Amino acid sequence: MNLIIQGTEIENSDLRAVAKLAGASQIERITGEAFRMLDAEPHPEIESFCEETALDFAFVVPGKKLTDFGLVAMDMDSTLLAIESIDEIADLHGVKAEVAAITQSTMRGEINFAESLTRRAALLKDLPENALQSVYDERLRLSAGAEKMLQRMQSVGIKTMVLSGGFTFFTERIKKRLGLDYAFANTLDIQNGRLTGHVLGNIIGATGKGEILEQVRNELGLSKEQVIAIGDGANDLKMLGAAGVGIAFHAKPVLQARATYCLNHVGLDGVLNLFE
């Protein structure tokens, strides 16, 4: 196996220590923040050492190329974006603390997503529609490395998709801004320029994310092994389950436990370093 080590600041002494634990035969530099250790073997102390030194690690099969994939599916809030958009909307309505508490409980898997979104949307009742544009213009931030990752994937022909339990107001604008191929999310009900506190149609939650990913995957004629899914919370479990490679990005423990790889310290461009 190869062992990929990534971090924002990597000390040579830490690299050597990991290589010794893994019995690696050679260390190759990928970028200034990523290194590949050849002929590495798992060791029980690698995980704890990397946690202590703020390093991400991943054991990967040699020869696995980025061009082996045909689709990447990404969660939006706290994954593709460095914000929780619904929390920022709530802040403009004076209910951020209440909404954020529900958001975090949902991400930990403590509340059913449909119930969670229904409760959070109700708290936004009577908020002016233009508040959504204010959040997009003033508060929206992409996660570190997002554009670099997407540009590289798009350059090799990988289809890109955002699949969110959030709102179409944001996913449609992000789709256009980043040149994504697909965008799926929930639609807020707006009447007379104000939010009604309701969500239109069937709510896209954990199950919906998995089903939509499978549908798009099949339409593209791709196998499960040709799909990468990236998320951060319990709502992304079924989406990652519908992909050959599931990546937990700065994620809750419930998702990290089920993911193929975990990135806790580097940006989304760290995904690129997992493949040759």
Side-chain angles (χ1 to χ4, degrees):
M1 297 286 282
N2 290 339
L3 173 58
I4 308 299
I5 297 294
Q6 303 190 71
T8 55
E9 295 183 9
I10 302 181
E11 300 291 338
N12 287 334
S13 57
D14 291 338
L15 272 181
R16 290 194 294 270
V18 175
K20 183 176 180 180
L21 288 172
S25 63
Q26 185 178 344
I27 302 176
E28 296 179 345
R29 179 189 176 106
I30 303 172
T31 71
E33 297 183 342
F35 295 82
R36 179 183 297 110
M37 298 183 179
L38 307 184
D39 304 315
E41 296 292 337
H43 187 283
E45 295 180 21
I46 290 176
E47 182 175 0
S48 60
F49 182 86
C50 287
E51 286 181 0
E52 293 171 5
T53 52
L55 298 175
D56 288 322
F57 75 97
F59 282 94
V60 301
V61 177
K64 191 65 174 177
K65 296 179 173 56
L66 189 63
T67 51
D68 292 336
F69 298 93
L71 174 67
V72 59
M74 302 158 287
D75 174 49
M76 179 176 70
D77 295 304
S78 296
T79 302
L80 183 56
L81 300 186
I83 65 167
E84 284 288 331
S85 58
I86 192 169
D87 293 358
E88 299 304 321
I89 298 168
D91 190 35
L92 298 183
H93 203 40
V95 292
K96 184 173 183 177
E98 295 95 316
V99 168
I102 298 172
T103 300
Q104 291 301 311
S105 185
T106 307
M107 290 172 64
R108 292 191 297 266
E110 298 167 353
I111 303 177
N112 171 274
F113 184 81
E115 174 193 348
S116 162
L117 189 63
T118 299
R119 287 169 54 185
R120 287 179 290 169
L123 290 168
L124 304 178
K125 184 178 179 180
D126 293 328
L127 181 71
E129 180 182 7
N130 60 17
L132 303 177
Q133 190 65 49
S134 295
V135 169
Y136 183 84
D137 292 338
E138 301 167 13
R139 303 192 180 198
L140 187 140
R141 293 180 294 112
L142 296 174
S143 289
E147 289 182 287
K148 181 178 179 181
M149 180 194 74
L150 288 170
Q151 288 169 1
R152 174 60 180 152
M153 288 184 169
Q154 289 165 341
S155 74
V156 298
I158 296 175
K159 299 294 185 181
T160 54
M161 173 168 66
V162 61
L163 189 49
S164 176
F167 304 122
T168 53
F169 182 92
F170 298 99
T171 56
E172 289 303 321
R173 285 161 175 77
I174 292 166
K175 177 185 177 184
K176 182 177 180 180
R177 173 177 170 178
L178 299 176
L180 306 180
D181 296 288
Y182 305 94
F184 299 91
N186 296 298
T187 303
L188 284 167
D189 185 32
I190 300 172
Q191 302 286 340
N192 301 317
R194 291 185 177 274
L195 277 63
T196 67
H198 299 290
V199 178
L200 296 175
N202 294 326
I203 290 176
I204 296 176
T207 300
K209 281 187 170 186
E211 291 174 347
I212 292 170
L213 178 52
E214 287 185 8
Q215 178 183 340
V216 173
R217 185 186 79 198
N218 292 336
E219 288 175 356
L220 292 172
L222 299 173
S223 66
K224 180 178 178 179
E225 288 68 32
Q226 291 175 287
V227 178
I228 299 170
I230 310 170
D232 72 306
N235 192 42
D236 300 313
L237 280 167
K238 292 186 182 299
M239 180 177 75
L240 265 65
V245 172
I247 297 174
F249 180 70
H250 297 232
K252 298 299 182 185
V254 65
L255 193 69
Q256 294 202 35
R258 300 275 292 276
T260 314
Y261 307 119
C262 300
L263 296 179
N264 294 317
H265 304 289
V266 298
L268 280 173
D269 52 330
V271 173
L272 302 175
N273 299 322
L274 300 173
F275 311 104
E276 297 177 17

